[in-house]
Amino acid sequence: MKKWLLTLVILCCTTVNVFAAEEGVEDYAYYGFEPDIVTNYISNRKKLGFVKISVELMVKDPNDLVTLEHHDPLLRSAIVEILGNQAEDKVKSLSGREEIRRECYETVNRLMEQEVGKAIVVNLLFTKYLYD
């Protein structure tokens, strides 16, 4: 009985995988900036404020990872510039963090459009977001 149940489960799983492949499920890939991005932001205090983030760029085509790696310095510089121009209140709030993420996403895609002729980034994720 256990063998039949195991066989049935394996058969169902492979059937689902075949149907998923036939439906054209996207094969996303991620490019992460190494090392993490660390920069200052505009602080209201005497103490200098800083933010440290891990950024992952999601693309539809795994071949685009080579393009992102080639343009890493340009994209990193743009993200550092955006973060460095933010006010402390915006850096420390959840809604501000989302605005910063969206601005970084739009800037990265605009730069990629200028460099390679198309916007290749599907999403930009902050996987780590630390501030002081």
Side-chain angles (χ1 to χ4, degrees):
M1 179 71 176
K2 289 182 180 180
K3 289 183 181 179
W4 283 102
L5 184 59
L6 181 61
T7 306
L8 181 62
V9 169
I10 291 173
L11 181 62
C12 288
C13 289
T14 53
T15 305
V16 169
N17 287 339
V18 169
F19 286 129
E22 289 175 0
E23 291 177 12
V25 174
E26 304 277 340
D27 198 20
Y28 292 104
Y30 294 87
Y31 177 78
F33 290 93
E34 290 294 328
D36 291 347
I37 296 174
V38 181
T39 189
N40 299 321
Y41 60 84
I42 301 169
S43 177
N44 299 334
R45 305 170 288 159
K46 291 181 181 179
K47 184 180 174 187
L48 191 61
F50 76 92
V51 62
K52 176 180 181 178
I53 62 171
S54 292
V55 178
E56 300 282 332
L57 303 177
M58 185 169 84
V59 294
K60 283 185 181 179
D61 185 4
N63 296 325
D64 289 335
L65 294 177
V66 175
T67 305
L68 289 174
E69 184 176 8
H70 178 73
H71 294 287
D72 180 298
L74 174 68
L75 302 177
R76 176 183 287 273
S77 173
I79 292 171
V80 167
E81 186 175 338
I82 290 169
L83 289 167
N85 290 325
Q86 302 304 317
E88 182 175 9
D89 297 339
K90 195 170 183 181
V91 168
K92 292 185 175 183
S93 73
L94 287 175
S95 60
R97 182 186 321 183
E98 177 58 23
E99 288 177 33
I100 294 168
R101 188 200 66 79
R102 196 173 310 117
E103 184 179 350
C104 289
Y105 168 72
E106 291 167 358
T107 301
V108 164
N109 263 335
R110 183 177 38 78
L111 289 170
M112 292 310 298
E113 212 167 297
Q114 289 173 358
E115 295 298 319
V116 298
K118 63 180 179 175
I120 61 175
V121 177
V122 176
N123 201 354
L124 183 142
L125 307 166
F126 290 158
T127 55
K128 185 190 313 178
Y129 190 92
L130 303 171
Y131 58 82
D132 180 35

